[in-house]
Every structure is written in structure tokens, then in C-alpha cells.
Amino acid sequence: MDAKERAVSALVQSNKRVALLVAAGVAVLGLGLGYKYLRRPEGGEEEEEEEEEEALVRVGVVSRLLVHPLKSGTAVSVTRAECQELGLRFGELQDRHWLVVTEDGHMVTGRQEPRLVLVSLTCEGGHVRLSGPEMEELRFPVKQPDGPVMDCRVFGADIQGRDCGDEASRWLTRYLGEGKTFRLVHYEPAMKGRRPEEGESGFPPYQVAYPDVAPVMLLSEASVKDLSSKLETDVTVERFRPNIVIGDCEAFEEDSWEELQIGSVRLQRVMSCGRCIFTTVDPETGIINRKEPLETLKSYRLCKPSEKHLYKSSPLFGQLHAVKRTGILQVGDVVFKVSR
């Protein structure tokens, strides 16, 4: 066989091998497609992953809505509020969006200055109204574009606030009368919120303005009544500063509600609310007794040993929630637990 014949023979053998490889590939593809279509249900549509079904179980009703515009200040009771990612809003009032600070920006609350609970901050016609016992009412614009932005510290975390001016500072300094200067700051929409440490539920990160931990705090009337039954003097819900008060449920039933639907609003539990010395401030007088109801709460509302890293020795009273879906809340809304 000459060189030309050998070349032709090699080419033929090579083509045969290519043809065999192509045929094998087509066969494998055919088997794969056949398996795919054999698995298709009637109607020719491919199987889709079934969505997790939800059931809504009625657990109570909204009996009160409370907005606390000034951190540690007097609550504003409303019948309807927007539930936004940063908490409740009623008109120009947003929950815990005003904060008293020292000159160097450190937060001041009712823990250090109990009489703050008697300070009322409301808004009307684009103006803030600040009032308190034996003090003349002070009015100033909500928007302070020329005011400096202060770097503040809230529970060790950095957050900004717009200084509300020297008049507000003098008013607070005179009212608190501690021989030091206080200033009032306002959290504005363009500012960056705080990201609290991850709570018990592992819910994705969320932001807050000046609340301790979460945008929404929820508490039942029955839990407050249960606590009062163990005290010499009854306590009111205002002492515990919730945003949403729930009626028509059992005491501490709110502890088990991981996800809630109220109207169009969806709330996700983050963790229980660990209580501190602030609960011993009387919201009617601004007097701190440093004992009750905190001591009684510690006698029966401590966390499980496995949760000590979260709550330490703080008793648990109320539940903290993040906002999964915003919307409108109204007194009288039915509260549903989301069950899966």
C-alpha cells in the first residue's frame, strides 16, 4: 500500500470513530430527555417546587397603639398608625426618632434621668411642641436644615442626629436641672440607621433609629394584669413602653408568636424584651424606686439557661419584632399568628 492509500485509509477510520462518538452522544441526550419528559405530570408542565403553605390562626386583637416620639418620653396614644420598617408613624411623629444626648453625643434616657418620662413631644403643622411639668411649652420647626448633624452613641453604636437648636437645649437643661448641658437630636430619613446585634430568631439584619433593639415592641394586656396581681400596687402598660398592645389573649401568649399578620402588616419576632431598672420609673410621677416591678419580674420571668448569653439576668416581658411587610395598623385589628 502506497502513501496515498494509507492516508485515505486513516481518514476513513478516523471518520468512523467520530461518527460513533456522535451517535453515543445523541443516545445519552435522548435518554436524558426521555427521563425528563417521563417525569412530567399530565398536562405537559414540569414539576414545580411547592410553596410552603401558611395558615393564619387568630390569637388576639389590637387594643392600643402607642407612639413614643421622644426616647424615654411620654407615649402618644393613637387609633391608627403606619407601620414602617423603622417602626410606627403617625403624621410627623415617628417612634423614637428624637433623642436627648449629652454635649458629646451620648444618649440620655429615663434610666439616668427618670423625669424624662414626663416630657411630651408632639408635632403639629410642621412644628415640634415640647412640654413638661412646670415648663412653658416650646415650639420649633421639625426641619432644621441649618442645624449641625451630631455623631451620637446609642448602646455603644454610632448613629447620627440633627441638632434641634439652642432653645431646645436650654429647655431640656433647665427642666432636668442636673448642672450639665443636654441637647435634642432628630433622626432624619437620609441618615443611616443602627444595626442591632442579631436576635434570638436569626432574622435578617434590619435597621432602627433610637429604639434599644427592634422597631416594634408588643405586649399583651393579660401579661400586665398577671404582673399586677403579684404586686402591692397595680402597674399600667405605659410603664413598659410597647408600641402594640394586644387584648383577647392569655397572659404571656405573645411569647410563642414567631410571625404575625395584622391587617396588611407582617411582623417577625426577633427576641424577648429583657427588662431593666427603667421599669421601676413611675410613668405618672417620674419617680424611680429601683425595686419594683423589676424584682417581682425576676422571680418568675427569667430566661432559660440556654438563653443566658442573650438576656443574662434580665427578666423577660414583651416581645420585640422586626417589620417584614409595612402597612397600616388600627385599634380593633385582628391579630393572626402565621403557622406553617
Side-chain angles (χ1 to χ4, degrees):
M1 183 181 296
D2 59 23
K4 182 177 180 180
E5 288 174 339
R6 286 197 299 271
V8 170
S9 176
L11 181 61
V12 169
Q13 293 299 322
S14 175
N15 286 342
K16 284 181 178 180
R17 285 195 295 271
V18 170
L20 286 171
L21 287 171
V22 170
V26 170
V28 169
L29 179 61
L31 286 171
L33 289 172
Y35 175 72
K36 176 182 177 181
Y37 285 96
L38 281 171
R39 291 179 68 247
R40 290 171 67 174
E42 291 183 9
E45 295 180 0
E46 294 182 34
E47 285 185 323
E48 296 181 359
E49 187 177 341
E50 292 185 7
E51 293 186 5
E52 198 173 12
E53 292 186 1
E54 291 183 348
L56 299 181
V57 180
R58 185 188 188 280
V59 291
V61 64
V62 176
S63 61
R64 295 187 69 185
L65 294 171
L66 299 170
V67 181
H68 303 84
L70 173 65
K71 186 174 181 66
S72 290
T74 302
V76 178
S77 183
V78 300
T79 58
R80 175 187 171 95
E82 294 178 64
C83 188
Q84 301 181 332
E85 288 184 358
L86 291 179
L88 266 57
R89 175 176 183 152
F90 178 75
E92 294 173 293
L93 294 178
Q94 291 179 269
D95 192 73
R96 295 168 173 93
H97 271 50
W98 280 266
L99 174 71
V100 178
V101 296
T102 58
E103 284 188 288
D104 60 358
H106 285 81
M107 73 170 183
V108 177
T109 73
R111 300 167 181 85
Q112 303 89 32
E113 299 292 342
R115 292 180 69 239
L116 266 180
V117 301
L118 305 179
V119 175
S120 172
L121 188 153
T122 58
C123 293
E124 185 179 335
H127 282 76
V128 174
R129 297 170 59 184
L130 202 59
S131 61
E134 301 178 4
M135 294 290 292
E136 288 188 16
E137 182 179 277
L138 177 67
R139 291 171 61 92
F140 56 89
V142 173
K143 295 182 179 179
Q144 302 270 349
D146 298 327
V149 173
M150 291 185 67
D151 293 322
C152 305
R153 296 283 287 177
V154 175
F155 291 107
D158 295 324
I159 189 168
Q160 292 181 322
R162 177 81 65 180
D163 191 285
C164 293
D166 290 339
E167 280 192 273
S169 175
R170 284 191 290 270
W171 192 98
L172 286 166
T173 300
R174 189 164 59 251
Y175 173 74
L176 294 173
E178 291 291 326
K180 49 190 174 183
T181 300
F182 298 96
R183 303 202 71 85
L184 181 68
V185 297
H186 179 213
Y187 180 87
E188 297 178 341
M191 293 176 178
K192 184 179 180 180
R194 288 165 42 237
R195 287 193 182 275
E197 293 182 8
E198 185 177 285
E200 188 181 314
S201 68
F203 184 72
Y206 57 90
Q207 292 189 350
V208 292
Y210 303 137
D212 289 8
V213 177
V216 174
M217 206 276 272
L218 181 147
L219 181 64
S220 73
E221 292 177 338
S223 296
V224 178
K225 186 176 180 180
D226 181 88
L227 173 60
S228 288
S229 71
K230 296 173 170 57
L231 299 168
E232 291 183 7
T233 305
D234 288 354
V235 289
T236 63
V237 72
E238 283 82 3
R239 184 178 291 251
F240 305 101
R241 313 183 68 76
N243 299 113
I244 304 174
V245 183
I246 306 298
D248 197 23
C249 68
E250 298 298 320
F252 307 113
E253 194 176 345
E254 65 267 31
D255 295 358
S256 64
W257 302 337
E258 291 297 324
E259 192 170 346
L260 294 174
Q261 181 82 29
I262 310 174
S264 60
V265 174
R266 183 65 67 95
L267 301 176
Q268 174 69 55
R269 178 180 175 275
V270 175
M271 62 191 300
S272 298
C273 186
R275 296 301 180 164
C276 67
I277 197 73
F278 195 15
T279 59
T280 70
V281 177
D282 187 331
E284 298 296 323
T285 65
I287 296 173
I288 186 168
N289 69 59
R290 299 190 177 277
K291 185 177 180 181
E292 292 294 0
L294 189 61
E295 291 301 317
T296 297
L297 281 172
K298 285 182 177 180
S299 72
Y300 77 119
R301 289 293 297 169
L302 292 178
C303 69
K304 301 172 185 176
S306 61
E307 298 172 333
K308 285 279 189 181
H309 66 289
L310 283 172
Y311 305 110
K312 300 180 175 60
S313 61
S314 298
L316 312 181
F317 200 66
Q319 297 297 318
L320 299 167
H321 286 254
V323 181
K324 288 185 73 174
R325 188 184 304 146
T326 61
I328 302 296
L329 294 173
Q330 297 186 85
V331 170
D333 279 348
V334 175
V335 181
F336 294 97
K337 176 178 70 174
V338 179
S339 179
R340 291 185 173 86

